[in-house]
Amino acid sequence: MSLRIGVVGTGAMGRYHVERLASGVPDAQVVAVSDVYVEGAKQVAEQVGARAYADGHELIGDDQVQAVLIASPGFTHEEFTLACLAADKPVLCEKPLAPTIDACLRVLEAEAVTPRRLVQVGFMRRYDEGFRALKATVDAGRVGRPLLLHCRHRNADVPPAFTSDMMITDSVVHDIDVTRWLLGQEIVATTVFKARPSSLAPQGLQDPQMVMLETAEGVLVDVESFVTCQYGYDIRYELVGESGTVALGEHPGVQVRAEGGHHGPIPPDYRERFGDAYQRELQEWVAGVLDGQVVGPSTWDGYATTAVAEAAVESQTKGGRVAVGLVERPALYG
Ligand code: ISE
């Protein structure tokens, strides 16, 4: 039996997911796509034999659609996720769950009163083999009790409209999610420091920034966000425990020593670096939904991450340490 999926949004991420569903998830069938730019939706629909809609709500209401993937712009996520909940359809929503705490809380409140989870948020790093190995190492106690976590998050470049707050709400959100997932703790405070801006960054972009996170049990986390590093997409982590360290991403791929030098590949962007993770995310989501369960990153994770990101943006604009307060965790989220 295959899962009939509707994809809302056929911009870059929507197309990417449609291609991956069509080529790498045999148990999935994309039966409908939608986009406000309906010509774009029609092109994608033709490639996979799906129906095209201009309105995501019509797609969600289509009886043929059993589950929905939302890849439209972040500010539309709340309304489409709420519509999926009202229609009792499982949904994989690209990050962020929603751009504001209030919007996330509305989704949380709508889902928390239902008997089972329907919403999964697209934090795909949790599906990356390297990140899973990192977590397995920490969980097995091989480096002792975690004390510090160093995260480096560098992009070669960003689109012209990219702003300093988006460095947190679009990029660092992944590191916020990984921190909570890896350590199994909430983040209670954040402070953002600004380095002198790179002369290669667009005028007005505060790049790079250091985002400090403090967890409930006192682990200190530093996230370097550098979105115009020029040389490639570079994600590196090091967790420092009481009796050892565990690192990720220092030397990805094949390393060559030749011609008096030492060379290794650097992926150009996140789609290449996390291609396998996106694929696995889709495969596991489809398998889970067919099995009647949604177990990936939850609405609670989406809410907690946005709450930390909002606090970090406040620290970025006003300066100083900003505490993060969360509502009580509903029973549905364990
Ligand atoms: C992008 O939106 C992503 O989701 C990537 O994973 C992240 O690394 C990048 O910085 C974001 O712009």
Side-chain angles (χ1 to χ4, degrees):
M1 188 183 61
S2 71
L3 182 70
R4 297 188 305 272
I5 297 173
V7 177
V8 177
T10 53
M13 271 327 280
R15 282 169 193 245
Y16 184 75
H17 284 308
V18 170
E19 278 162 26
R20 290 199 165 271
L21 283 166
S23 64
V25 191
D27 287 341
Q29 195 193 349
V30 179
V31 294
V33 298
S34 74
D35 202 288
V36 284
Y37 172 55
V38 73
E39 288 311 316
K42 281 183 186 161
Q43 279 169 13
V44 176
E46 237 169 65
Q47 286 160 13
V48 291
R51 265 190 292 277
Y53 291 103
D55 183 354
H57 290 286
E58 279 184 46
L59 175 145
I60 294 165
D62 182 335
D63 286 343
Q64 281 302 302
V65 172
Q66 294 175 300
V68 178
L69 191 157
I70 300 175
S72 48
F75 69 88
T76 65
H77 290 183
E78 176 194 357
E79 64 170 278
F80 291 134
T81 308
L82 287 173
C84 290
L85 284 170
D88 200 28
K89 294 189 180 181
V91 51
L92 172 55
C93 179
E94 257 302 334
K95 58 87 193 167
L97 172 63
T100 66
I101 295 177
D102 288 349
C104 289
L105 280 175
R106 286 191 284 271
V107 180
L108 190 80
E109 278 158 18
E111 190 186 41
V113 293
T114 65
R116 66 188 211 287
R117 281 187 50 200
L118 283 178
V119 180
Q120 175 169 327
V121 183
F123 289 123
M124 80 301 177
R125 287 186 180 186
R126 298 186 185 200
Y127 297 85
D128 177 74
E129 273 184 1
F131 276 96
R132 285 186 166 181
L134 182 66
K135 181 161 170 58
T137 306
V138 176
D139 288 350
R142 288 193 58 196
V143 296
R145 203 167 62 118
L147 303 172
L148 302 168
L149 178 64
H150 305 292
C151 317
R152 276 171 266 182
H153 187 155
R154 301 186 187 139
N155 298 62
D157 52 30
V158 280
F162 208 83
T163 53
S164 301
D165 59 327
M166 286 170 74
M167 289 171 62
I168 291 166
T169 58
D170 192 66
S171 284
V172 175
V173 281
H174 286 291
D175 305 280
I176 294 171
D177 178 64
V178 167
T179 296
R180 298 179 55 257
W181 167 75
L182 182 64
L183 300 172
Q185 297 170 40
E186 295 299 352
I187 292 160
V188 296
T190 174
T191 314
V192 177
F193 296 91
K194 304 168 187 175
R196 67 174 179 177
S198 164
S199 62
L200 301 176
Q203 192 70 25
L205 188 67
Q206 175 49 64
D207 188 35
Q209 304 175 26
M210 291 292 288
V211 180
M212 303 298 299
L213 306 171
E214 297 167 48
T215 73
E217 293 174 27
V219 179
L220 206 51
V221 183
D222 59 274
V223 184
E224 173 197 315
S225 173
F226 186 15
V227 297
T228 60
C229 81
Q230 312 292 315
Y231 67 85
Y233 185 67
D234 196 4
I235 302 299
R236 280 183 268 166
Y237 270 61
E238 185 186 23
L239 182 129
V240 180
E242 286 180 347
S243 56
T245 69
V246 49
L248 166 75
E250 281 302 326
H251 298 294
V254 169
Q255 305 300 307
V256 179
R257 283 166 207 262
E259 295 146 6
H262 179 191
H263 306 273
I266 301 174
D269 61 27
Y270 61 92
R271 290 193 198 97
E272 187 162 323
R273 165 65 181 82
F274 287 114
D276 289 347
Y278 279 114
Q279 192 71 61
R280 207 168 293 117
E281 175 188 49
L282 293 172
Q283 285 163 347
E284 292 188 17
W285 175 63
V286 168
V289 171
L290 285 172
D291 206 29
Q293 303 185 44
V294 175
V295 293
S298 67
T299 299
W300 176 262
D301 296 316
Y303 154 68
T305 302
T306 294
V308 177
E310 226 178 83
V313 171
E314 186 181 330
S315 171
Q316 182 195 70
T317 41
K318 296 188 187 152
R321 177 180 184 270
V322 178
V324 180
L326 297 179
V327 298
E328 199 177 320
R329 190 174 173 131
L332 186 67
Y333 306 108

PDB file of all heavy atoms in Angstrom, residues 45-66:
ATOM      1  N   ALA A  45       3.537  19.190 -11.117  1.00  0.00           N
ATOM      2  CA  ALA A  45       2.467  18.184 -11.176  1.00  0.00           C
ATOM      3  C   ALA A  45       2.619  17.297 -12.410  1.00  0.00           C
ATOM      4  O   ALA A  45       2.479  16.072 -12.339  1.00  0.00           O
ATOM      5  CB  ALA A  45       1.110  18.886 -11.177  1.00  0.00           C
ATOM      6  N   GLU A  46       2.940  17.918 -13.520  1.00  0.00           N
ATOM      7  CA  GLU A  46       3.092  17.161 -14.768  1.00  0.00           C
ATOM      8  C   GLU A  46       4.197  16.112 -14.664  1.00  0.00           C
ATOM      9  O   GLU A  46       4.062  15.003 -15.147  1.00  0.00           O
ATOM     10  CB  GLU A  46       3.460  18.130 -15.894  1.00  0.00           C
ATOM     11  CG  GLU A  46       2.503  18.084 -17.063  1.00  0.00           C
ATOM     12  CD  GLU A  46       2.760  19.230 -17.998  1.00  0.00           C
ATOM     13  OE1 GLU A  46       3.861  19.254 -18.586  1.00  0.00           O
ATOM     14  OE2 GLU A  46       1.878  20.114 -18.097  1.00  0.00           O
ATOM     15  N   GLN A  47       5.297  16.516 -13.996  1.00  0.00           N
ATOM     16  CA  GLN A  47       6.438  15.590 -13.903  1.00  0.00           C
ATOM     17  C   GLN A  47       6.103  14.316 -13.136  1.00  0.00           C
ATOM     18  O   GLN A  47       6.671  13.268 -13.381  1.00  0.00           O
ATOM     19  CB  GLN A  47       7.618  16.281 -13.206  1.00  0.00           C
ATOM     20  CG  GLN A  47       8.307  17.304 -14.094  1.00  0.00           C
ATOM     21  CD  GLN A  47       9.124  18.302 -13.276  1.00  0.00           C
ATOM     22  OE1 GLN A  47       9.372  18.095 -12.091  1.00  0.00           O
ATOM     23  NE2 GLN A  47       9.530  19.381 -13.901  1.00  0.00           N
ATOM     24  N   VAL A  48       5.171  14.406 -12.174  1.00  0.00           N
ATOM     25  CA  VAL A  48       4.894  13.225 -11.341  1.00  0.00           C
ATOM     26  C   VAL A  48       3.456  12.720 -11.494  1.00  0.00           C
ATOM     27  O   VAL A  48       3.022  11.833 -10.754  1.00  0.00           O
ATOM     28  CB  VAL A  48       5.196  13.509  -9.843  1.00  0.00           C
ATOM     29  CG1 VAL A  48       6.683  13.664  -9.610  1.00  0.00           C
ATOM     30  CG2 VAL A  48       4.443  14.727  -9.330  1.00  0.00           C
ATOM     31  N   GLY A  49       2.720  13.293 -12.441  1.00  0.00           N
ATOM     32  CA  GLY A  49       1.342  12.838 -12.671  1.00  0.00           C
ATOM     33  C   GLY A  49       0.408  13.184 -11.522  1.00  0.00           C
ATOM     34  O   GLY A  49      -0.420  12.364 -11.108  1.00  0.00           O
ATOM     35  N   ALA A  50       0.579  14.401 -10.984  1.00  0.00           N
ATOM     36  CA  ALA A  50      -0.267  14.824  -9.856  1.00  0.00           C
ATOM     37  C   ALA A  50      -1.238  15.924 -10.303  1.00  0.00           C
ATOM     38  O   ALA A  50      -1.115  16.466 -11.397  1.00  0.00           O
ATOM     39  CB  ALA A  50       0.619  15.338  -8.720  1.00  0.00           C
ATOM     40  N   ARG A  51      -2.208  16.241  -9.429  1.00  0.00           N
ATOM     41  CA  ARG A  51      -3.101  17.379  -9.691  1.00  0.00           C
ATOM     42  C   ARG A  51      -2.438  18.653  -9.183  1.00  0.00           C
ATOM     43  O   ARG A  51      -1.681  18.592  -8.200  1.00  0.00           O
ATOM     44  CB  ARG A  51      -4.399  17.201  -8.903  1.00  0.00           C
ATOM     45  CG  ARG A  51      -5.513  16.554  -9.689  1.00  0.00           C
ATOM     46  CD  ARG A  51      -6.810  16.656  -8.906  1.00  0.00           C
ATOM     47  NE  ARG A  51      -6.782  15.849  -7.706  1.00  0.00           N
ATOM     48  CZ  ARG A  51      -7.059  14.548  -7.697  1.00  0.00           C
ATOM     49  NH1 ARG A  51      -7.377  13.925  -8.818  1.00  0.00           N
ATOM     50  NH2 ARG A  51      -7.031  13.862  -6.586  1.00  0.00           N
ATOM     51  N   ALA A  52      -2.747  19.804  -9.798  1.00  0.00           N
ATOM     52  CA  ALA A  52      -2.162  21.077  -9.341  1.00  0.00           C
ATOM     53  C   ALA A  52      -3.260  21.993  -8.803  1.00  0.00           C
ATOM     54  O   ALA A  52      -4.335  22.092  -9.403  1.00  0.00           O
ATOM     55  CB  ALA A  52      -1.431  21.752 -10.491  1.00  0.00           C
ATOM     56  N   TYR A  53      -2.989  22.628  -7.680  1.00  0.00           N
ATOM     57  CA  TYR A  53      -3.917  23.599  -7.089  1.00  0.00           C
ATOM     58  C   TYR A  53      -3.182  24.921  -6.877  1.00  0.00           C
ATOM     59  O   TYR A  53      -1.967  24.931  -6.632  1.00  0.00           O
ATOM     60  CB  TYR A  53      -4.397  23.131  -5.716  1.00  0.00           C
ATOM     61  CG  TYR A  53      -5.301  21.922  -5.732  1.00  0.00           C
ATOM     62  CD1 TYR A  53      -4.807  20.669  -5.373  1.00  0.00           C
ATOM     63  CD2 TYR A  53      -6.639  22.037  -6.079  1.00  0.00           C
ATOM     64  CE1 TYR A  53      -5.632  19.558  -5.357  1.00  0.00           C
ATOM     65  CE2 TYR A  53      -7.483  20.923  -6.079  1.00  0.00           C
ATOM     66  CZ  TYR A  53      -6.966  19.690  -5.713  1.00  0.00           C
ATOM     67  OH  TYR A  53      -7.790  18.594  -5.708  1.00  0.00           O
ATOM     68  N   ALA A  54      -3.960  26.022  -6.893  1.00  0.00           N
ATOM     69  CA  ALA A  54      -3.373  27.323  -6.561  1.00  0.00           C
ATOM     70  C   ALA A  54      -3.460  27.558  -5.054  1.00  0.00           C
ATOM     71  O   ALA A  54      -2.708  28.359  -4.487  1.00  0.00           O
ATOM     72  CB  ALA A  54      -4.107  28.436  -7.301  1.00  0.00           C
ATOM     73  N   ASP A  55      -4.373  26.850  -4.393  1.00  0.00           N
ATOM     74  CA  ASP A  55      -4.646  27.086  -2.971  1.00  0.00           C
ATOM     75  C   ASP A  55      -4.350  25.820  -2.143  1.00  0.00           C
ATOM     76  O   ASP A  55      -4.937  24.755  -2.409  1.00  0.00           O
ATOM     77  CB  ASP A  55      -6.125  27.490  -2.834  1.00  0.00           C
ATOM     78  CG  ASP A  55      -6.498  27.825  -1.398  1.00  0.00           C
ATOM     79  OD1 ASP A  55      -5.649  27.637  -0.492  1.00  0.00           O
ATOM     80  OD2 ASP A  55      -7.638  28.259  -1.185  1.00  0.00           O
ATOM     81  N   GLY A  56      -3.460  25.971  -1.166  1.00  0.00           N
ATOM     82  CA  GLY A  56      -3.099  24.833  -0.321  1.00  0.00           C
ATOM     83  C   GLY A  56      -4.290  24.247   0.421  1.00  0.00           C
ATOM     84  O   GLY A  56      -4.339  23.047   0.704  1.00  0.00           O
ATOM     85  N   HIS A  57      -5.277  25.075   0.753  1.00  0.00           N
ATOM     86  CA  HIS A  57      -6.446  24.564   1.492  1.00  0.00           C
ATOM     87  C   HIS A  57      -7.257  23.593   0.625  1.00  0.00           C
ATOM     88  O   HIS A  57      -7.805  22.615   1.123  1.00  0.00           O
ATOM     89  CB  HIS A  57      -7.322  25.728   1.959  1.00  0.00           C
ATOM     90  CG  HIS A  57      -6.671  26.522   3.051  1.00  0.00           C
ATOM     91  ND1 HIS A  57      -6.570  26.064   4.346  1.00  0.00           N
ATOM     92  CD2 HIS A  57      -6.043  27.726   3.021  1.00  0.00           C
ATOM     93  CE1 HIS A  57      -5.928  26.957   5.083  1.00  0.00           C
ATOM     94  NE2 HIS A  57      -5.598  27.980   4.306  1.00  0.00           N
ATOM     95  N   GLU A  58      -7.311  23.881  -0.674  1.00  0.00           N
ATOM     96  CA  GLU A  58      -8.031  22.949  -1.570  1.00  0.00           C
ATOM     97  C   GLU A  58      -7.306  21.616  -1.616  1.00  0.00           C
ATOM     98  O   GLU A  58      -7.919  20.554  -1.635  1.00  0.00           O
ATOM     99  CB  GLU A  58      -8.122  23.532  -2.978  1.00  0.00           C
ATOM    100  CG  GLU A  58      -9.233  24.547  -3.120  1.00  0.00           C
ATOM    101  CD  GLU A  58      -9.335  25.029  -4.557  1.00  0.00           C
ATOM    102  OE1 GLU A  58      -9.316  24.195  -5.479  1.00  0.00           O
ATOM    103  OE2 GLU A  58      -9.391  26.256  -4.730  1.00  0.00           O
ATOM    104  N   LEU A  59      -5.971  21.683  -1.650  1.00  0.00           N
ATOM    105  CA  LEU A  59      -5.179  20.437  -1.665  1.00  0.00           C
ATOM    106  C   LEU A  59      -5.445  19.638  -0.383  1.00  0.00           C
ATOM    107  O   LEU A  59      -5.668  18.422  -0.430  1.00  0.00           O
ATOM    108  CB  LEU A  59      -3.695  20.786  -1.802  1.00  0.00           C
ATOM    109  CG  LEU A  59      -2.704  19.625  -1.721  1.00  0.00           C
ATOM    110  CD1 LEU A  59      -1.517  19.855  -2.653  1.00  0.00           C
ATOM    111  CD2 LEU A  59      -2.191  19.402  -0.292  1.00  0.00           C
ATOM    112  N   ILE A  60      -5.439  20.331   0.748  1.00  0.00           N
ATOM    113  CA  ILE A  60      -5.638  19.623   2.022  1.00  0.00           C
ATOM    114  C   ILE A  60      -7.039  18.991   2.054  1.00  0.00           C
ATOM    115  O   ILE A  60      -7.242  17.906   2.586  1.00  0.00           O
ATOM    116  CB  ILE A  60      -5.407  20.593   3.210  1.00  0.00           C
ATOM    117  CG1 ILE A  60      -3.929  21.010   3.242  1.00  0.00           C
ATOM    118  CG2 ILE A  60      -5.813  19.964   4.547  1.00  0.00           C
ATOM    119  CD1 ILE A  60      -3.613  22.213   4.124  1.00  0.00           C
ATOM    120  N   GLY A  61      -8.007  19.654   1.408  1.00  0.00           N
ATOM    121  CA  GLY A  61      -9.385  19.137   1.383  1.00  0.00           C
ATOM    122  C   GLY A  61      -9.603  18.041   0.352  1.00  0.00           C
ATOM    123  O   GLY A  61     -10.655  17.392   0.343  1.00  0.00           O
ATOM    124  N   ASP A  62      -8.633  17.800  -0.508  1.00  0.00           N
ATOM    125  CA  ASP A  62      -8.770  16.769  -1.554  1.00  0.00           C
ATOM    126  C   ASP A  62      -8.836  15.382  -0.901  1.00  0.00           C
ATOM    127  O   ASP A  62      -7.916  14.985  -0.182  1.00  0.00           O
ATOM    128  CB  ASP A  62      -7.546  16.879  -2.486  1.00  0.00           C
ATOM    129  CG  ASP A  62      -7.586  15.887  -3.638  1.00  0.00           C
ATOM    130  OD1 ASP A  62      -8.239  14.832  -3.521  1.00  0.00           O
ATOM    131  OD2 ASP A  62      -6.931  16.174  -4.660  1.00  0.00           O
ATOM    132  N   ASP A  63      -9.904  14.628  -1.191  1.00  0.00           N
ATOM    133  CA  ASP A  63     -10.077  13.304  -0.575  1.00  0.00           C
ATOM    134  C   ASP A  63      -8.965  12.326  -0.930  1.00  0.00           C
ATOM    135  O   ASP A  63      -8.708  11.377  -0.181  1.00  0.00           O
ATOM    136  CB  ASP A  63     -11.401  12.682  -1.034  1.00  0.00           C
ATOM    137  CG  ASP A  63     -12.571  13.363  -0.365  1.00  0.00           C
ATOM    138  OD1 ASP A  63     -12.335  14.059   0.649  1.00  0.00           O
ATOM    139  OD2 ASP A  63     -13.703  13.227  -0.876  1.00  0.00           O
ATOM    140  N   GLN A  64      -8.331  12.555  -2.076  1.00  0.00           N
ATOM    141  CA  GLN A  64      -7.252  11.644  -2.493  1.00  0.00           C
ATOM    142  C   GLN A  64      -5.993  11.823  -1.640  1.00  0.00           C
ATOM    143  O   GLN A  64      -5.166  10.931  -1.559  1.00  0.00           O
ATOM    144  CB  GLN A  64      -6.885  11.912  -3.963  1.00  0.00           C
ATOM    145  CG  GLN A  64      -7.854  11.297  -4.949  1.00  0.00           C
ATOM    146  CD  GLN A  64      -7.943   9.783  -4.728  1.00  0.00           C
ATOM    147  OE1 GLN A  64      -6.951   9.077  -4.795  1.00  0.00           O
ATOM    148  NE2 GLN A  64      -9.145   9.307  -4.414  1.00  0.00           N
ATOM    149  N   VAL A  65      -5.844  13.007  -1.028  1.00  0.00           N
ATOM    150  CA  VAL A  65      -4.632  13.309  -0.257  1.00  0.00           C
ATOM    151  C   VAL A  65      -4.760  12.730   1.158  1.00  0.00           C
ATOM    152  O   VAL A  65      -5.640  13.118   1.921  1.00  0.00           O
ATOM    153  CB  VAL A  65      -4.394  14.838  -0.194  1.00  0.00           C
ATOM    154  CG1 VAL A  65      -3.271  15.184   0.763  1.00  0.00           C
ATOM    155  CG2 VAL A  65      -4.102  15.388  -1.585  1.00  0.00           C
ATOM    156  N   GLN A  66      -3.862  11.791   1.488  1.00  0.00           N
ATOM    157  CA  GLN A  66      -3.915  11.166   2.827  1.00  0.00           C
ATOM    158  C   GLN A  66      -2.985  11.873   3.818  1.00  0.00           C
ATOM    159  O   GLN A  66      -3.209  11.823   5.019  1.00  0.00           O
ATOM    160  CB  GLN A  66      -3.468   9.709   2.729  1.00  0.00           C
ATOM    161  CG  GLN A  66      -4.384   8.820   1.919  1.00  0.00           C
ATOM    162  CD  GLN A  66      -3.774   7.432   1.779  1.00  0.00           C
ATOM    163  OE1 GLN A  66      -2.673   7.275   1.238  1.00  0.00           O
ATOM    164  NE2 GLN A  66      -4.462   6.439   2.298  1.00  0.00           N
TER     165      GLN A  66
END
